[in-house]
């Protein structure tokens, strides 16, 4: 665990790889907001690097990929899982340059105020089948590649200030399933968008939010909100090239403000 009471320590990782063998007796129930410490692992060498895990419970603190063009950091862990989780003020995943070949199965990413962001020349690959689980206060996401599943579960508290933020300038595309379980789903109108190409499920503890949402693609998609929770005060758009959008339960977006439901 990287700890420093005065400032976040940075560990420069410049060798040919980082081999992580986790504690096989550790457990994780999906609700922890810390595990990897408060430091940062900075991958900036001109060598291809690999994160290797001895089992599926691999927890890192904040990581930053800032490598030359074409050079990669590859996650090669058992079952294709990776956890990035730190104490308050850490747990970021920042892809600034080079290639982040992410976990192919599941990314557990959850720390207070943490960010999963792709900027500049940063490239993210191998996550088209990945389940991304954001589970803590106020995480934010800004990536330019599709993911298979997105779940946000603000397990510590609810309210308008807590939940998952789609960052300005980004469209978060999810191809199979979006689950908003607990907390808000946030995004500024005209600047951020959640593009849903699969199903959309609203859990029993969701507190709505204000993120613009678009249903697109040519699949048959299902919307489900069995607890009839408050949904969204931002605009919803149906922009499909085929298939159907099926409402398995009522859709109510009118209780927070004056949104639009547009068919294009």
């Amino acid at each position: 665990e990287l700890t420093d009471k005065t400032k976040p320590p940075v560990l420069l990782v410049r060798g040919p790889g980082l081999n992580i063998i986790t504690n096989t007796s550790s457990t994780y129930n999906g609700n922890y907001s810390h595990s990897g410490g408060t430091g940062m692992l900075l991958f900036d060498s001109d060598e291809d690097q690999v994160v290797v895990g001895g089992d599926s419970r691999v927890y890192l603190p904040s990581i930053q990929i800032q490598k030359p063009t074409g050079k990669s950091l590859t996650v090669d862990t058992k079952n294709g899982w990776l956890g990035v989780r730190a104490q308050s003020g850490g747990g970021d995943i920042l892809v600034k340059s080079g290639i982040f070949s992410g976990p192919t199965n599941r990314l557990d990413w959850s720390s207070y105020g943490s960010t999963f962001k792709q900027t500049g020349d940063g490239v993210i690959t191998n996550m088209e089948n990945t389940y991304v689980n954001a589970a803590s206060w106020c995480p934010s996401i800004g990536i330019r590649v599709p993911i298979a599943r997105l779940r946000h579960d603000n397990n510590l508290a609810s309210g308008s200030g807590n939940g998952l933020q789609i960052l300005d300038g980004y469209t978060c595309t999810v191809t199979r399933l979006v689950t908003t379980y607990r907390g808000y789903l946030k995004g500024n109108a005209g600047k951020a968008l959640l593009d849903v190409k699969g199903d959309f499920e609203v859990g029993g503890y969701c507190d709505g939010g204000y993120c613009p949402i678009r249903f697109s693609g040519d699949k048959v998609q299902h919307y489900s909100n069995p607890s009839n929770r408050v949904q969204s005060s931002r605009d919803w758009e149906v922009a499909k090239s085929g298939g159907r959008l099926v409402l398995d339960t009522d859709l109510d977006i009118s209780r927070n403000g004056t949104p639009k439901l547009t068919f294009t």
Side-chain angles (χ1 to χ4, degrees), residues 17-262:
L18 176 64
N19 184 21
I20 298 177
I21 306 298
T22 64
N23 182 355
T24 57
S25 65
S26 66
T27 59
Y28 170 62
N29 64 6
N31 293 321
Y32 292 166
S33 61
H34 58 84
S35 258
T38 58
M40 172 181 285
L41 297 173
L42 174 58
F43 296 89
D44 68 347
S45 79
D46 57 2
E47 299 284 345
D48 290 331
Q49 297 174 285
V50 183
V51 174
V52 180
D55 64 18
S56 61
R57 295 182 292 272
V58 178
Y59 302 123
L60 300 182
S62 292
I63 63 173
Q64 180 169 310
I65 297 94
Q66 195 166 338
K67 300 173 67 64
T69 301
K71 296 300 180 179
S72 62
L73 172 67
T74 299
V75 178
D76 183 15
T77 59
K78 184 178 180 181
N79 299 330
W81 284 39
L82 178 68
V84 177
R85 188 173 297 107
Q87 295 167 343
S88 179
D92 296 325
I93 308 170
L94 305 175
V95 186
K96 293 189 173 183
S97 61
I99 302 169
F100 176 54
S101 183
T104 56
N105 188 352
R106 175 165 170 158
L107 174 63
D108 281 310
W109 153 66
S110 54
S111 300
Y112 180 84
S114 58
T115 297
F116 181 17
K117 190 174 183 180
Q118 178 184 8
T119 61
D121 296 327
V123 176
I124 298 176
T125 63
N126 289 338
M127 291 189 64
E128 60 270 14
N129 296 312
T130 301
Y131 168 27
V132 175
N133 179 41
S136 191
W137 286 357
C138 303
S140 56
I141 186 169
I143 60 175
R144 299 190 292 260
V145 296
I147 55 176
R149 297 174 61 193
L150 176 67
R151 174 186 170 96
H152 84 92
D153 181 4
N154 175 25
N155 59 79
L156 300 178
S158 62
S160 61
N162 300 313
L164 177 63
Q165 172 90 32
I166 310 297
L167 293 173
D168 287 356
Y170 290 89
T171 295
C172 183
T173 301
V174 185
T175 60
R176 297 181 190 172
L177 176 64
V178 174
T179 304
T180 60
Y181 182 70
R182 180 163 28 197
Y184 266 54
L185 180 62
K186 304 182 290 185
N188 291 320
K191 298 180 179 180
L193 179 67
L194 177 63
D195 185 23
V196 183
K197 295 182 180 296
D199 296 339
F200 192 104
E201 296 180 353
V202 180
Y205 298 95
C206 178
D207 292 306
Y210 48 89
C211 180
I213 296 173
R214 178 177 67 199
F215 289 89
S216 65
D218 58 2
K219 298 178 181 178
V220 175
Q221 298 171 264
H222 290 263
Y223 169 85
S224 176
N225 186 354
S227 299
N228 195 30
R229 304 291 294 185
V230 176
Q231 191 43 62
S232 175
S233 61
R234 285 287 189 257
D235 297 342
W236 283 42
E237 180 183 13
V238 180
K240 296 178 58 58
S241 59
R244 294 177 293 151
L245 174 61
V246 180
L247 300 184
D248 293 335
T249 60
D250 290 345
L251 169 62
D252 185 351
I253 62 173
S254 63
R255 285 176 284 179
N256 288 336
T258 55
K260 293 184 295 184
L261 177 60
T262 305

